[in-house]
Amino acid sequence: MEFGETGITVVYGENGAGKSGYIRILKKLADAKYKEELKGNVYTVKKNKQSCDVSVIHEGVEKKLSCNLSKDGEYSLLKDIDIFDTRISRAYVEAAKEASYEPWIFSMLSAIAKVASEVKAEIEDRQKSLDKAEIVIPDELAETDICKTISSITEKTKFDEAFFDWTEELDEELVKKEKESNIEAITVSITNLKKEIEQLEALHKYIAQFEEFFSKANVDEIMRVRKQFEIAKEEQAAAQLLFEKEADDLDKRSVSNQAWKNLWKSAQKYYDTFLQSECVVKYTDEAGKCPLCGQIISDEKHLHRMQSINEYINGSASEQVTNKRKTLISLLQKCPKAWETEQCDLVIASAGVENIATNIKEVAEKISAFSKLIYSDEVEKAEISEIDIETLLKLINSSIKDKNERRKNLTDLIGDDDHKKLIEEIKALKAKKFISGIQDKVNSRIDYLKQISLFNKAKKLTATNKISTKSSVLAKELLTDDYEKRFNDELKLLTKGSVRAIIRQQRASRGKIPFKVELEGTEDKSVAPSDVLSEVQLINVNNKNEKS
């Protein structure tokens, strides 16, 4: 594409011809403020390196530049290009912008505001680099008067040397008072009792979940179902004997074959679901029809064979065994799973109940033995017996109550007024001893606070609000009225008065005075200038220093 040296160059073409692409390229070359992504050929898959060659006449000399479009503003010479399009025009029309040309005083104020911000940033960086010299006071001493004084120090705080003194006499007094209070031993006892109570409560909760399962009523119910299960197995065994008596050698060898069993179960199902509805005589009755081969069973020998096989495979005895077994296992597996032996022993040892430890272990071992058998492949062998869990729970509750009373008594002892006073005196001495060892840290902290105070005062001096206020005042006197008049006069010439728009000064910030275009006299206040004013794309390749 070649641009004319004078006048206007108009570029036109069909959609997709690349018109907008040239604008995007020029924005890249000029490092324009509102750049856009440079698209490749959207009609091909292959993506080539984005580059272009530019020939430009500068000061009468033609220069050829090879441009890599992955870089913005690669050549300073091309940065003199000004580009105006929809995005830029919207930015100027819709947003507040500073005037491009203004009296030197505003540039000076803006520069001062910029420097002030940089100075403020430098101050903040120096603040961050300071050692805060923070003082960490132990929680148990935080409420003592001397530690509160340390916590509230400022840059103006001053301490006498006596404030940090710690003498041998004070140390002896502290040791004496600690012996009188025995506070550490009492505190340890209270802590240990709390842990033991927690372990006992965990034991109580664990054992209590088995109380219903091992109750007499539940054990009797399990025994009743077990007896029914045993009777069903005896009936099944009798049916098996009958079958073995009547069965031939092949049937006897087939008993353990699952396919053979499934065959006769299917025969029963076939008769029940179809042959019966067809009024076919059942194969276990005289003159019945075999469901497998369809022959009439005429002789007594084959009839007995059919009856014994059917009774053994599909008879009520076999069904009863299956049902009773399911019921028994269901009842047994209502038993919660037991802890591992190691876990149970650890909790008992941590509970501090030597007097009833044997009782707890005996019950826990019984529960564990039953639970393991119930959740094994030999669940049918689990013959449950009653366990007196209620009595054990009472013993545990009694131990919990006893430990709670002892803990309360010790806590009350610490809370006694005389004891409280003694404790406070001990804390005060401990705090005094602690402070005596951190004098250097305290001094460092005061020095840090002094520096921070100085920096904060300096930061206040970098505030740009006064500069912005002064800029606004000067703008009224030197810029606003004439600037707005010239803009509005020019707009009347361009639109012949058909568009009523004005330019208004906005709030100053950091010494900069932004202006914004607004429509005048509109009924619909939601309408923006960009909704009314037309748009244009314009490229100005004149040297920026020559603009007026």
Side-chain angles (χ1 to χ4, degrees):
M1 176 181 288
E2 185 175 349
F3 293 90
E5 292 186 28
T6 60
I8 296 175
T9 300
V10 177
V11 180
Y12 61 92
E14 297 178 355
N15 288 337
K19 303 185 296 299
S20 298
Y22 278 107
I23 295 295
R24 291 192 176 105
I25 290 172
L26 287 165
K27 286 183 177 181
K28 287 271 189 180
L29 298 177
D31 194 19
K33 186 174 183 180
Y34 299 97
K35 291 185 286 292
E36 298 175 70
E37 181 186 357
L38 185 59
K39 305 288 186 182
N41 187 344
V42 297
Y43 298 107
T44 62
V45 176
K46 186 178 179 182
K47 304 297 179 186
N48 297 321
K49 178 182 176 183
Q50 295 180 329
S51 63
C52 71
D53 296 326
V54 176
S55 295
V56 60
I57 298 173
H58 179 62
E59 296 180 347
V61 179
E62 183 175 355
K63 295 184 178 182
K64 292 188 177 180
L65 307 174
S66 295
C67 302
N68 180 359
L69 295 177
S70 65
K71 300 177 181 178
D72 298 334
E74 185 178 6
Y75 297 100
S76 59
L77 178 61
L78 300 180
K79 289 184 178 181
D80 285 341
I81 298 173
D82 284 334
I83 298 174
F84 302 92
D85 63 1
T86 300
R87 293 188 68 188
I88 295 174
S89 67
R90 281 184 177 275
Y92 277 107
V93 172
E94 293 180 352
K97 298 288 180 182
E98 298 86 28
S100 298
Y101 308 99
E102 54 191 9
W104 67 269
I105 187 67
F106 294 108
S107 299
M108 185 190 74
L109 292 173
S110 179
I112 293 173
K114 184 171 183 270
V115 171
S117 297
E118 291 172 354
V119 171
K120 182 180 179 181
E122 176 65 22
I123 291 171
E124 288 174 344
D125 287 341
R126 292 191 186 185
Q127 275 185 303
K128 291 177 183 176
S129 67
L130 291 175
D131 180 5
K132 294 182 179 181
E134 290 182 318
I135 301 170
V136 180
I137 297 174
D139 291 341
E140 64 272 17
L141 305 179
E143 295 303 314
T144 58
D145 291 339
I146 194 168
C147 286
K148 284 181 179 179
T149 300
I150 294 297
S151 298
S152 60
I153 58 176
T154 68
E155 73 277 7
K156 296 179 180 180
T157 302
K158 293 181 180 179
F159 291 112
D160 293 331
E161 287 296 319
F163 183 82
F164 298 98
D165 284 347
W166 181 254
T167 63
E168 187 176 337
E169 289 78 10
L170 289 173
D171 201 58
E172 290 175 357
E173 184 181 353
L174 175 59
V175 172
K176 179 184 176 184
K177 288 182 181 296
E178 284 182 329
K179 286 181 179 178
E180 290 176 6
S181 72
N182 201 20
I183 183 64
E184 290 184 2
I186 295 174
T187 303
V188 169
S189 296
I190 291 172
T191 302
N192 288 340
L193 281 169
K194 181 175 181 293
K195 291 178 181 178
E196 289 174 359
I197 290 167
E198 288 172 352
Q199 295 299 319
L200 271 175
E201 287 174 343
L203 261 176
H204 186 281
K205 183 179 180 181
Y206 166 64
I207 293 173
Q209 65 181 330
F210 296 95
E211 185 175 12
E212 182 180 350
F213 182 81
F214 289 102
S215 66
K216 185 178 185 306
N218 193 60
V219 170
D220 287 347
E221 175 63 14
I222 292 173
M223 290 175 65
R224 185 183 67 80
V225 173
R226 175 176 291 285
K227 187 174 182 180
Q228 292 176 350
F229 175 54
E230 295 298 336
I231 292 171
K233 285 201 296 184
E234 290 174 2
E235 292 176 353
Q236 186 184 43
Q240 184 173 355
L241 288 173
L242 175 63
F243 163 73
E244 290 175 353
K245 180 180 178 182
E246 302 291 338
D248 56 25
D249 290 339
L250 181 61
D251 285 337
K252 288 178 182 179
R253 292 199 303 274
S254 300
V255 168
S256 60
N257 186 285
Q258 189 61 44
W260 182 82
K261 292 179 180 179
N262 291 339
L263 176 72
W264 289 103
K265 286 181 179 179
S266 297
Q268 174 72 26
K269 186 176 181 181
Y270 175 46
Y271 178 81
D272 291 342
T273 59
F274 179 71
L275 294 180
Q276 189 176 23
S277 64
E278 296 291 321
C279 299
V280 175
V281 179
K282 191 171 183 180
Y283 54 92
T284 56
D285 294 337
E286 189 175 347
K289 179 183 281 190
C290 176
L292 302 177
C293 65
Q295 295 185 38
I296 301 300
I297 303 169
S298 55
D299 60 280
E300 189 174 343
K301 178 183 177 182
H302 287 102
L303 179 61
H304 284 316
R305 175 177 178 260
M306 288 291 186
Q307 289 172 341
S308 63
I309 291 174
N310 190 65
E311 180 61 27
Y312 176 64
I313 299 298
N314 299 314
S316 60
S318 177
E319 185 179 352
Q320 282 293 317
V321 168
T322 301
N323 292 339
K324 293 302 179 183
R325 184 179 185 277
K326 285 182 180 179
T327 303
L328 178 61
I329 291 174
S330 176
L331 284 173
L332 289 171
Q333 292 188 342
K334 286 182 179 179
C335 175
K337 289 188 177 181
W339 283 350
E340 293 296 330
T341 304
E342 294 79 6
Q343 181 183 2
C344 194
D345 290 346
L346 180 62
V347 174
I348 294 171
S350 304
V353 284
E354 292 76 10
N355 57 325
I356 60 170
T358 303
N359 305 66
I360 297 173
K361 284 184 179 180
E362 285 179 359
V363 170
E365 286 171 1
K366 288 180 182 179
I367 290 172
S368 179
F370 282 128
S371 179
K372 286 180 181 177
L373 187 56
I374 287 169
Y375 290 99
S376 71
D377 294 335
E378 299 181 327
V379 57
E380 294 176 21
K381 296 180 180 179
E383 295 188 10
I384 307 302
S385 60
E386 185 181 353
I387 299 177
D388 185 9
I389 290 177
E390 183 181 359
T391 300
L392 179 61
L393 292 177
K394 287 180 179 178
L395 290 174
I396 294 174
N397 275 328
S398 178
S399 293
I400 293 172
K401 183 180 178 182
D402 178 59
K403 289 180 184 293
N404 272 321
E405 286 178 358
R406 287 161 55 195
R407 182 184 174 203
K408 182 178 181 300
N409 291 336
L410 290 173
T411 305
D412 289 344
L413 176 61
I414 293 177
D416 181 73
D417 288 341
D418 291 337
H419 199 273
K420 277 183 180 180
K421 183 179 178 182
L422 182 58
I423 297 304
E424 292 302 319
E425 291 172 355
I426 291 171
K427 283 185 179 180
L429 286 168
K430 283 185 174 181
K432 175 75 173 171
K433 185 176 182 179
F434 169 74
I435 296 302
S436 70
I438 61 168
Q439 183 175 2
D440 290 342
K441 282 188 177 181
V442 172
N443 292 334
S444 296
R445 179 65 178 175
I446 293 172
D447 288 341
Y448 165 77
L449 294 173
K450 286 179 179 178
Q451 292 180 73
I452 289 295
S453 177
L454 187 63
F455 279 135
N456 287 336
K457 289 176 182 177
K459 277 200 295 185
K460 287 182 179 179
L461 297 175
T462 64
T464 59
N465 57 326
K466 291 183 179 180
I467 298 173
S468 298
T469 302
K470 190 64 178 175
S471 296
S472 297
V473 172
L474 289 173
K476 288 286 185 185
E477 296 179 11
L478 305 177
L479 183 65
T480 306
D481 293 340
D482 186 53
Y483 190 72
E484 291 182 5
K485 183 177 182 302
R486 290 182 62 189
F487 173 84
N488 293 323
D489 289 346
E490 189 71 22
L491 187 64
K492 286 179 182 178
L493 291 173
L494 289 171
T495 65
K496 296 182 180 181
S498 60
V499 175
R500 289 185 292 163
I502 57 173
I503 187 167
R504 291 193 190 278
Q505 177 186 336
Q506 305 297 303
R507 183 178 178 182
S509 175
R510 296 187 179 182
K512 294 183 179 292
I513 309 295
F515 293 86
K516 186 175 182 181
V517 177
E518 296 179 0
L519 293 177
E520 186 181 43
T522 57
E523 292 296 330
D524 187 353
K525 300 301 179 184
S526 64
V527 176
S530 58
D531 297 327
V532 176
L533 305 180
S534 299
E535 60 186 58
V536 66
Q537 290 187 342
L538 172 65
I539 304 166
N540 175 18
V541 293
N542 291 326
N543 189 295
K544 288 181 180 177
N545 296 325
E546 298 174 355
K547 290 186 294 184
S548 59

